[in-house]
Amino acid sequence: MDTMYFVYVLRSLRRNYWYVGITSDVQKRVTQHQNGRERTTRAYRPYELMCVEGYSTRLEARNREKYLKSSGRKSRFKSRCAQVAKLVDAL
């Protein structure tokens, strides 16, 4: 079976910080972030996993990651995630 690549989005529960990354093992990668094994995200723990998208190639995943990390798109994405979170909380 071919390797799947995933773009994932984490939201800090302590600060207004979002992280977008790529991995082939989402559970392992989120655990690394939660345990402080990643220097760039350590100070913003704990995290909530907001989104995961699967891609058949690393290039597709990388292109999506770059798209989400662009400043204008990132703010729109954050806004949409916040709206969905409010709807889920209301249920």
Side-chain angles (χ1 to χ4, degrees):
M1 186 166 153
D2 293 329
T3 301
M4 286 286 296
Y5 294 92
F6 301 92
V7 175
Y8 63 97
V9 180
L10 299 176
R11 181 180 69 90
S12 171
L13 297 175
R14 290 180 45 199
R15 297 184 184 169
N16 184 26
Y17 179 80
W18 293 61
Y19 181 84
V20 179
I22 300 173
T23 186
S24 58
D25 186 340
V26 175
Q27 184 175 5
K28 178 181 176 183
R29 193 71 176 120
V30 171
T31 299
Q32 289 173 334
H33 287 290
Q34 295 287 28
N35 291 336
R37 294 183 181 246
E38 299 304 319
R39 187 173 43 128
T40 57
T41 59
R42 186 178 301 144
Y44 305 101
R45 296 177 295 156
Y47 288 97
E48 175 180 26
L49 182 62
M50 297 300 291
C51 179
V52 176
E53 299 175 348
Y55 295 91
S56 57
T57 68
R58 189 176 193 296
L59 180 60
E60 289 174 312
R62 178 70 177 123
N63 287 338
R64 178 64 170 163
E65 178 194 37
K66 286 169 69 173
Y67 176 84
L68 290 175
K69 284 184 173 181
S70 65
S71 61
R73 291 176 183 99
K74 191 172 186 179
S75 65
R76 284 192 298 272
F77 183 79
K78 286 179 184 181
S79 176
R80 279 196 299 264
C81 284
Q83 290 170 356
V84 170
K86 286 179 186 177
L87 288 172
V88 170
D89 287 345
L91 295 176

